Amino acid sequence: LIILIFVLLLESLIEINANLTNDLRERARTLAYDWKPNIGNKPSEALGFLHLVAAFELGSLFSIEELCDYVFLISKYKQATTICRKIGLGRNRIGLLVQKFLDTGRLLVAIKFIYEFEMTGEFEPVSILKTSLKNSREAAKRVCAEGNYSLKAQNEATDKELSALRAVIKVVKEKNIESEFSEEKLEECVKELEDQKAQRKRATKLNSPANPQQPQQQKVDNKRPRVANGSSMEYSLTVPPLSQQQPLLPNPSQSLQVNPYGLLSSILPGVAVPYGNPLALYGSVPAPAPRPVFYEQQTGYGGYGMPPQYQLPYYPQ
């Protein structure tokens, strides 16, 4: 934050072209010498240092190679081209910088310097822009492969490619090169990538449960229910005599009831008998295997007296 404020103040000083005294220049020179060893590979430090050199016209105190290295370090900042002019870098040095940008893959930075210093005769901007798009597509493929083509990796790759496309579209519009570079096709590519990303998002929502229900344990209410008059209802735990109890075993005199599927129906009213065994419900008698009873006159399965074939349900993988 301090360096940012310092840069803003120096930019204002450069714009007004202030009349600097020798004392101010000497103090700025001392500060620049003290600052230089702390730059290292920190772009923000290089940006502040170059603004100091430009504001107080200290370019002659340092080698051109050092200054070019610092410009390369701050190339992502919008002030980079202005700094080059202020510190007195010549056309040849700018050309070497552009070539270094191309060699290191900073193609859009190279485009900015090419147009800013009118070097379209030495370099071909359209070819560089096409190479930039090709590189972004290859980078997107690598991101997908490294992420095992997961949803996150696909979205990250799409974002990278969209960013490159929009940067190229911006250059095409600003530099008026629509005749050499089809802006319409670029916009179609952007729309296609945005649609793909939206489809992945919708597919994710469809595959995820809309209202996931968590199993909740029902709390047992131990309170006694109350009737309308406010008195509590007492439970009767008295066991009725055997003569009044419902028999568990079927009466031999009663005929067996067969349901439409040929299985024994429940003897107890309102009770679903598992596996056709009345006592299996209480765990007192092991349940025998179901033995369906078929009748020759039954035509429930298409008139052939045979059960239909069971087809496995299809679950999407």
Side-chain angles (χ1 to χ4, degrees):
L1 181 60
I2 296 177
I3 293 179
L4 178 60
I5 296 174
F6 184 76
V7 167
L8 292 175
L9 292 174
L10 290 176
E11 283 181 349
S12 300
L13 186 61
I14 292 172
E15 289 178 1
I16 64 176
N17 197 15
N19 196 7
L20 304 174
T21 63
N22 292 332
D23 180 59
L24 285 175
R25 291 179 187 276
E26 185 64 25
R27 292 168 63 183
R29 183 177 68 85
T30 302
L31 177 59
Y33 282 134
D34 293 339
W35 196 325
K36 182 173 171 289
N38 298 323
I39 296 176
N41 291 322
K42 293 173 283 188
S44 59
E45 294 286 346
L47 183 66
F49 172 80
L50 288 175
H51 273 83
L52 179 65
V53 172
F56 292 92
E57 300 175 356
L58 304 175
S60 59
L61 300 178
F62 305 95
S63 68
I64 295 296
E65 288 76 11
E66 285 180 326
L67 296 178
C68 287
D69 289 340
Y70 295 145
V71 171
F72 182 81
L73 199 58
I74 68 164
S75 60
K76 67 177 183 179
Y77 293 101
K78 63 180 182 180
Q79 303 98 324
T81 53
T82 303
I83 289 294
C84 288
R85 289 191 175 92
K86 291 297 182 180
I87 63 179
L89 293 185
R91 189 176 182 85
N92 291 336
R93 288 291 176 179
I94 298 298
L96 293 175
L97 269 175
V98 171
Q99 189 61 52
K100 189 175 181 180
F101 293 143
L102 295 175
D103 294 340
T104 54
R106 303 188 181 188
L107 304 185
L108 294 179
V109 174
I111 289 291
K112 179 177 68 173
F113 274 73
I114 290 170
Y115 280 107
E116 193 71 24
F117 293 96
E118 299 179 354
M119 304 183 74
T120 55
E122 293 89 334
F123 303 94
E124 297 181 3
V126 175
S127 177
I128 295 172
L129 289 174
K130 291 180 179 179
T131 303
S132 176
L133 292 178
K134 180 181 177 181
N135 292 348
S136 68
R137 173 59 61 88
E138 295 299 327
K141 291 180 180 179
R142 286 196 300 271
V143 170
C144 284
E146 292 171 359
N148 294 325
Y149 296 91
S150 63
L151 180 63
K152 180 180 179 181
Q154 292 182 57
N155 288 336
E156 183 179 350
T158 301
D159 290 340
K160 286 181 177 294
E161 199 165 357
L162 283 173
S163 177
L165 280 169
R166 287 167 179 152
V168 171
I169 291 173
K170 182 180 179 182
V171 173
V172 171
K173 288 181 178 180
E174 290 180 350
K175 306 307 177 184
N176 297 320
I177 55 176
E178 289 89 347
S179 59
E180 303 179 67
F181 215 105
S182 176
E183 180 185 350
E184 183 179 356
K185 290 184 178 180
L186 293 177
E187 295 288 358
E188 289 177 358
C189 291
V190 169
K191 186 178 185 304
E192 181 180 353
L193 289 172
E194 289 177 342
D195 290 344
Q196 291 176 4
K197 188 175 180 180
Q199 289 175 3
R200 289 196 296 268
K201 186 176 181 181
R202 287 194 296 268
T204 304
K205 288 183 177 180
L206 290 176
N207 292 333
S208 61
N211 295 313
Q213 297 180 354
Q214 299 294 335
Q216 297 180 356
Q217 294 183 349
Q218 295 182 352
K219 295 182 179 180
V220 179
D221 191 359
N222 295 325
K223 296 181 179 181
R224 296 179 179 178
R226 296 183 177 275
V227 294
N229 57 8
S231 60
S232 61
M233 182 182 297
E234 297 291 342
Y235 292 103
S236 176
L237 299 179
T238 305
V239 179
L242 292 176
S243 59
Q244 299 179 8
Q245 292 185 16
Q246 179 74 23
L248 294 180
L249 295 177
N251 190 339
S253 61
Q254 296 178 353
S255 61
L256 295 178
Q257 298 178 359
V258 180
N259 61 19
Y261 299 96
L263 299 176
L264 294 177
S265 300
S266 171
I267 303 301
L268 305 179
V271 178
V273 180
Y275 312 114
N277 182 9
L279 299 183
L281 179 65
Y282 305 97
S284 57
V285 178
R291 301 176 61 183
V293 179
F294 296 100
Y295 297 93
E296 293 182 359
Q297 63 270 27
Q298 273 188 300
T299 58
Y301 300 113
Y304 298 99
M306 296 181 65
Q309 294 183 352
Y310 176 73
Q311 297 181 356
L312 292 175
Y314 172 73
Y315 296 97
Q317 301 296 326

